[in-house]
């Protein structure tokens, strides 16, 4: 895919919708067409960093929420380290945002970036859950997952969508084989527009979720406000949810 080249005003407009500079720099024409008619303001965000550690082979991963500084320092130290280890460690950033749109709706967005990819890859789930007062606008959910290899940036679609009155989740396959080199820079997002279900509603909460599944099959995704479940027949790790409060 060939990313769109944006001018400064276009980039600012996309940032007001919750897009990071990296997401803007790798945005395709198809993606931009989904958002080019939207104008947002009053952006609220919550960003978390996670360390995912797993004994080799096939143990259940442990997840620790850490600071941005710790994540960067440990990733840099890993690059300088030599030798073998009995553990594999990945680092994930998740950012959840809300943006008040000029059409009266609110855009909820949950982004993820693997700052350092884990060795074990299979199927992952990204989700947004929200207060019961929020009503999703039909056909506004958007998903993106990209990775980079020796041929450039590639985009891969979700394998399934699960939604109910409490939120929406997308399942997708993390790419583990690339062209000329191993895939890296795994990143993506899920977004959806919501509005208030009752004219007297003023504020609501939204939560970002991410689950990394390394073994087994998730047949269904359970969605509740503030939590998701990917099934009992798999080995998985859940990131602690992000949380934002927004005004309708």
């Amino acid at each position: 895919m060939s990313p769109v080249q944006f001018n400064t005003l276009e980039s600012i407009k996309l940032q007001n919708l919750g897009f990071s500079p990296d997401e803007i720099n790798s945005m395709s024409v198809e993606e931009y067409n989904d958002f080019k008619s939207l104008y947002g303001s009053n952006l609220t965000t919550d960003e978390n960093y996670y360390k995912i550690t797993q004994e080799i082979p096939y143990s259940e991963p442990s997840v620790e929420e850490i600071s941005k500084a710790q994540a960067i320092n440990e990733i840099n130290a890993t690059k300088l380290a030599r030798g073998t280890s009995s553990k594999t460690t990945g680092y994930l950033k998740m950012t959840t945002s809300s943006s008040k749109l000029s059409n009266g709706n609110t855009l909820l967005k949950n982004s993820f970036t693997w700052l350092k990819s884990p060795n074990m890859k299979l199927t992952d789930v990204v989700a947004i859950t929200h207060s019961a007062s929020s009503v999703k606008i039909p056909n506004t959910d958007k998903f993106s997952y990209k990775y980079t290899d020796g041929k450039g940036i590639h985009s891969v679609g979700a394998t399934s969508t699960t939604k109910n009155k409490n939120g929406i989740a997308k399942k997708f396959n993390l790419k583990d084989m690339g062209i000329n080199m191993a895939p890296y820079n795994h990143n993506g997002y899920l977004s959806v527009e919501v509005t208030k279900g009752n004219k007297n509603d003023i504020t609501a909460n939204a939560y970002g979720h991410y689950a990394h599944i390394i073994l087994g099959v998730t047949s269904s995704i359970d969605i509740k406000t503030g939590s998701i479940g990917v099934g009992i027949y798999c080995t998985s790790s859940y990131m602690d949810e992000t949380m934002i409060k927004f005004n309708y």
Side-chain angles (χ1 to χ4, degrees):
M1 55 162 285
S2 299
V4 180
Q5 301 297 314
F6 295 109
N7 60 39
T8 301
L9 290 179
E10 290 170 331
S11 294
I12 292 174
K13 173 189 170 184
L14 290 168
Q15 289 177 36
N16 287 337
L17 296 175
F19 287 91
S20 69
D22 287 341
E23 289 173 328
I24 294 170
N25 291 336
S26 65
M27 183 172 287
S28 67
V29 173
E30 292 77 14
E31 277 182 275
Y32 181 58
N33 287 339
D34 288 333
F35 298 97
K36 66 180 182 180
S37 64
L38 299 182
Y39 295 84
S41 61
N42 299 327
L43 185 68
T44 61
T45 63
D46 186 26
E47 184 173 270
N48 286 355
Y49 290 77
Y50 310 90
K51 178 179 180 180
I52 302 93
T53 305
Q54 182 190 13
E55 295 286 345
I56 302 173
Y58 305 137
S59 67
E60 186 167 351
S62 64
V63 178
E64 177 187 2
E65 185 178 334
I66 60 177
S67 68
K68 177 180 180 179
Q70 181 180 344
I72 293 174
N73 289 339
E74 291 188 7
I75 291 170
N76 289 336
T78 301
K79 292 177 180 178
L80 298 175
R82 295 182 178 181
T84 61
S85 173
S86 62
K87 296 181 180 180
T88 174
T89 304
Y91 294 85
L92 180 81
K93 178 178 74 171
M94 183 166 68
T95 306
T96 305
S97 65
S98 70
S99 181
K100 181 65 176 179
L101 301 178
S102 58
N103 63 15
N105 299 333
T106 298
L107 180 69
L108 302 180
K109 181 171 173 288
N110 191 31
S111 299
F112 63 90
T113 300
W114 282 98
L115 304 172
K116 179 179 180 295
S117 305
N119 289 337
M120 298 301 299
K121 304 180 182 69
L122 190 60
T123 299
D124 282 15
V125 175
V126 61
I128 297 171
T129 64
H130 49 71
S131 301
S133 63
S134 296
V135 177
K136 288 181 286 298
I137 305 300
N139 303 317
T140 62
D141 58 288
K142 308 298 178 183
F143 171 79
S144 172
Y145 162 52
K146 300 189 186 80
Y147 68 91
T148 305
D149 64 9
K151 286 289 186 179
I153 301 173
H154 304 269
S155 179
V156 181
T159 59
S160 70
T161 301
T162 304
K163 64 179 73 174
N164 62 21
K165 64 179 182 179
N166 301 311
I168 182 170
K170 298 278 186 177
K171 185 165 62 174
F172 63 100
N173 294 325
L174 274 179
K175 189 72 172 179
D176 61 352
M177 296 290 291
I179 301 174
N180 296 336
M181 65 187 304
Y184 65 99
N185 193 27
H186 302 272
N187 67 93
Y189 60 83
L190 168 63
S191 69
V192 66
E193 293 180 40
V194 299
T195 189
K196 57 184 177 181
N198 186 303
K199 65 179 182 180
N200 296 320
D201 293 332
I202 299 175
T203 64
N205 294 334
Y207 305 84
H209 309 274
Y210 194 97
H212 178 54
I213 306 165
I214 64 164
L215 281 176
V217 177
T218 171
S219 57
S220 62
I221 301 173
D222 182 46
I223 299 175
K224 299 178 181 178
T225 299
S227 69
I228 63 169
V230 298
I232 61 176
Y233 302 107
C234 56
T235 300
S236 59
S237 53
Y238 294 89
M239 313 304 129
D240 289 343
E241 68 274 0
T242 49
M243 192 277 282
I244 55 175
K245 177 175 286 187
F246 61 93
N247 296 323
Y248 287 116

